[in-house]
Amino acid sequence: MAESQGEIKYLIFLGCAIPYRVSAYELSARKVMEKLGVKLEEMPEFNCCGVPMDPISHEMMMLLAARNLCMAEKKGLNIMALCPGCTGALKKVNTMLKNDKKLKEEINKHLKEDGLEFKGTINVKHLVQVLNEDIGLEKIKATVKKPLTGLKVAEHNGCHVLRPKEYMGFDDPEDPKILKALIEVTGAECLDYMDESQCCGAPVAGVNDRIPLQLTEEKLTHVKEVGAQALITVCPFCHMMFDTNQMRIERLFNEKFGIPTLHYPQLLGLAMGLTPEELGFRELRVKPTELLKQLGLQGS
Amino acid sequence: MSEQEKTEQEKIGKKIIQASELDPKFKYEIIQMHGGEKLLMCFQCGTCTSDCPVARFSDSYRPRQIIRMTQLGLKERVLKSNTLWLCAACFTCTDRCPQGVKVADVIRTLKNIAVEEGYIPPVFKELASSILDTGYAYRIPELRLKKREQLGLPPLPRGNPESLAKLFREMELKKLLEKEGE
């Protein structure tokens, strides 16, 4: 493994939502990984992880995921995905194909013409898993130059970082601890709140315009109740629900939240001494002005 | 309760079941599919519905009901129902089912069959056609690509429309999209 030689190298998998709407997550993740000495390579060719096709055709979802896995195998690199949805699809299909010879043959039949063959030689991890397992809290702590002492935040993992447990399995979905620990190494305090691991509702936004907003509104209410100054996410879809849609939710439910929602690498980046500008704070809809002022930083 | 939900509830749950609408073979179709294997293990405890975040805010979406209807073979009602598409695939039900039923996966197999029979919400058609054309589920505007450059982000990896078109053909999805798009 590359790690044993002291160098950690991953193929970064961006997915579709991040380049479409959530560049700050990518930007901050790349900056933070660079500081941690993780080398990131680009996918040689890309297609959607398959998740949006799953309701249409499970076979097509598996084929799309398998194509990406084959690309990574060709490169001889493990995949690090930023989007939990992508992570889930790639991890699941990787495990299924590794364990089911008949299924693997079926999938390979379709990929053969493209010169691709699934062999089962790589692994897939989410950013949070890479930070926790490959780098480790100690090493991350060592990069913290400006501890975010006094800052109180809350976390929202997002469903697909945790579930289904059978395929994700690196944290307990009923009582997730890893993201919390990653937050606390920055010096910030991570508060508990009601129904922490509950879904934000984003996946049904395409078919229902009320339920997802109700779910997010409820979560924001719980986050506000415990006095969190910011919410920390690791998913582009959750981030769109909490940040992009927050003002709409405030209008719709006649509430006032004003809870800035940061991508985890933005929070870590601040603690590393990177500037809000470098970490893409400009893209946030709910401006973290107060939070930055408290940390003695200028907003961008 | 919204009007739409009311009619939805009437259509699915509140109508008396006629023996003639039961398809006893339907459940065997589902247990042959990936994720549907444990369907017959469900004993209707209701853990899925009581823990479902969507069910709390919907008057019609009830995973337990969908599972029971599937076991009974109420094929037409299940497949035509809009509630099927309200599953957020958060997998809470799957993780908590005491009988090991992959509830969210069963619902996904039902969606797959619904699509084969011609029921597909427009949003999924859009996503599929964008993947077919670009490799990405969303059509990323030129402005975004320019912004990437300004932010110092590397160019996006490209899709392979030819290979994707071939896969869509092989999975008989292209025809479906074209037919639906007319």
Side-chain angles (χ1 to χ4, degrees):
Chain A
M1 290 280 286
E3 291 127 79
S4 58
Q5 294 153 19
E7 191 192 49
I8 307 174
K9 203 173 183 184
Y10 271 96
L11 208 51
I12 185 170
F13 193 87
L14 296 175
C16 304
I18 292 171
Y20 181 56
R21 286 254 172 97
V22 202
S23 302
Y25 184 24
E26 178 190 350
L27 185 70
S28 56
R30 286 185 191 273
K31 288 270 156 63
V32 161
M33 284 311 196
E34 195 187 325
K35 282 261 179 196
L36 291 165
V38 176
K39 289 238 159 58
L40 297 177
E41 280 203 29
E42 307 307 310
M43 290 288 291
E45 190 187 301
F46 170 90
N47 58 253
C48 163
C49 69
V51 163
M53 290 302 290
D54 205 23
I56 300 175
S57 157
H58 188 54
E59 278 69 29
M60 190 63 188
M61 182 282 280
M62 291 194 284
L63 282 170
L64 290 174
R67 274 193 107 253
N68 287 310
L69 294 166
C70 291
M71 297 290 161
E73 287 185 356
K74 268 188 158 179
K75 275 265 192 181
L77 285 172
N78 293 324
I79 287 176
M80 180 188 84
L82 299 181
C83 171
C86 302
T87 316
L90 297 174
K91 249 182 198 285
K92 180 176 172 174
V93 173
N94 201 24
T95 309
M96 284 169 84
L97 297 182
K98 279 182 185 180
N99 296 334
D100 187 338
K101 214 177 145 203
K102 211 177 128 214
L103 182 65
K104 185 174 84 173
E105 279 167 12
E106 254 171 66
I107 295 290
N108 277 337
K109 238 190 290 172
H110 291 284
L111 300 176
K112 204 177 166 188
E113 219 177 285
D114 267 344
L116 298 172
E117 187 196 352
F118 179 89
K119 296 194 180 84
T121 53
I122 61 129
N123 290 315
V124 179
K125 287 184 182 181
H126 183 263
L127 168 75
V128 163
Q129 201 184 357
V130 172
L131 287 169
N132 184 55
E133 291 174 6
D134 296 22
I135 301 162
L137 295 176
E138 282 307 307
K139 203 175 155 195
I140 297 171
K141 204 169 184 173
T143 63
V144 171
K145 300 276 178 294
K146 292 180 178 169
L148 310 175
T149 319
L151 197 65
K152 290 184 165 78
V153 303
E155 56 83 19
H156 172 81
N157 263 287
C159 303
H160 301 131
V161 172
L162 307 167
R163 301 185 191 278
K165 203 176 173 183
E166 180 188 1
Y167 295 110
M168 299 311 288
F170 63 89
D171 202 352
D172 178 2
E174 303 298 344
D175 184 17
K177 293 199 167 69
I178 293 174
L179 183 56
K180 272 190 180 152
L182 286 168
I183 288 170
E184 303 219 312
V185 292
T186 68
E189 187 185 344
C190 190
L191 305 170
D192 296 333
Y193 66 98
M194 204 197 284
D195 293 335
E196 257 174 51
S197 55
Q198 186 175 287
C199 179
C200 69
V204 276
V207 288
N208 185 297
D209 51 17
R210 187 175 51 90
I211 295 169
L213 298 177
Q214 284 175 301
L215 280 164
T216 301
E217 189 267 345
E218 188 186 62
K219 290 220 68 159
L220 286 167
T221 304
H222 292 157
V223 169
K224 193 185 171 187
E225 270 167 8
V226 296
Q229 293 167 279
L231 184 62
I232 311 301
T233 62
V234 284
C235 170
F237 291 99
C238 300
H239 193 270
M240 283 192 262
M241 289 307 294
F242 291 116
D243 181 61
T244 320
N245 282 328
Q246 194 174 129
M247 282 182 258
R248 188 172 158 215
I249 290 166
E250 287 179 332
R251 279 197 304 274
L252 207 63
F253 295 89
N254 199 20
E255 298 259 13
K256 189 81 197 98
F257 294 114
I259 298 169
T261 307
L262 310 187
H263 306 287
Y264 173 71
Q266 289 185 312
L267 185 83
L268 178 59
L270 284 183
M272 286 172 161
L274 294 162
T275 66
E277 174 83 40
E278 286 174 292
L279 296 164
F281 272 60
R282 198 189 289 258
E283 282 203 21
L284 300 174
R285 287 277 182 92
V286 182
K287 300 293 171 199
T289 318
E290 282 301 311
L291 181 151
L292 291 175
K293 214 164 92 186
Q294 187 185 318
L295 296 169
L297 293 161
Q298 287 288 316
S300 59
Chain B
M1 202 191 298
S2 70
E3 280 305 309
Q4 192 196 339
E5 291 229 20
K6 246 186 240 167
T7 43
E8 194 60 43
Q9 210 174 24
E10 279 159 19
K11 208 162 69 192
I12 314 161
K14 297 290 156 89
K15 217 171 73 185
I16 293 166
I17 298 168
Q18 306 286 337
S20 58
E21 55 174 324
L22 300 178
D23 176 352
K25 287 183 190 150
F26 188 49
K27 56 180 179 283
Y28 300 116
E29 194 181 330
I30 301 298
I31 61 172
Q32 296 297 322
M33 295 172 76
H34 279 289
E37 299 89 347
K38 299 272 188 71
L39 170 70
L40 304 181
M41 298 294 285
C42 169
F43 54 30
Q44 291 286 293
C45 71
T47 302
C48 49
T49 293
S50 59
D51 288 349
C52 174
V54 173
R56 289 183 35 236
F57 290 107
S58 164
D59 293 314
S60 60
Y61 180 71
R62 301 286 181 266
R64 169 168 60 176
Q65 195 176 39
I66 293 173
I67 296 289
R68 188 65 186 139
M69 286 163 76
T70 308
Q71 286 179 329
L72 287 172
L74 285 163
K75 186 174 172 179
E76 283 297 299
R77 275 203 226 186
V78 173
L79 297 182
K80 279 186 184 167
S81 135
N82 289 329
T83 62
L84 213 50
W85 299 89
L86 283 177
C87 169
C90 73
F91 299 108
T92 308
C93 51
T94 297
D95 277 356
R96 291 184 186 166
C97 174
Q99 286 292 86
V101 180
K102 295 182 175 178
V103 183
D105 285 22
V106 172
I107 291 169
R108 187 254 306 143
T109 64
L110 295 168
K111 287 177 187 167
N112 282 185
I113 300 173
V115 169
E116 272 174 33
E117 311 233 329
Y119 311 110
I120 172 172
V123 63
F124 288 99
K125 241 163 30 185
E126 280 165 37
L127 292 166
S129 76
S130 175
I131 293 171
L132 174 62
D133 293 343
T134 69
Y136 289 80
Y138 310 104
R139 295 175 197 275
I140 299 168
E142 207 48 46
L143 205 69
R144 272 274 158 187
L145 300 177
K146 281 202 185 111
K147 209 172 161 204
R148 287 185 69 81
E149 260 184 69
Q150 287 162 12
L151 290 168
L153 294 169
L156 282 181
R158 299 179 78 97
N160 185 334
E162 259 173 49
S163 308
L164 292 177
K166 186 183 79 77
L167 289 180
F168 269 74
R169 259 197 314 276
E170 286 175 9
M171 296 288 107
E172 287 169 33
L173 289 168
K174 215 173 167 190
K175 219 167 63 194
L176 174 111
L177 289 178
E178 278 163 8
K179 192 172 69 191
E180 293 286 322
E182 273 168 15

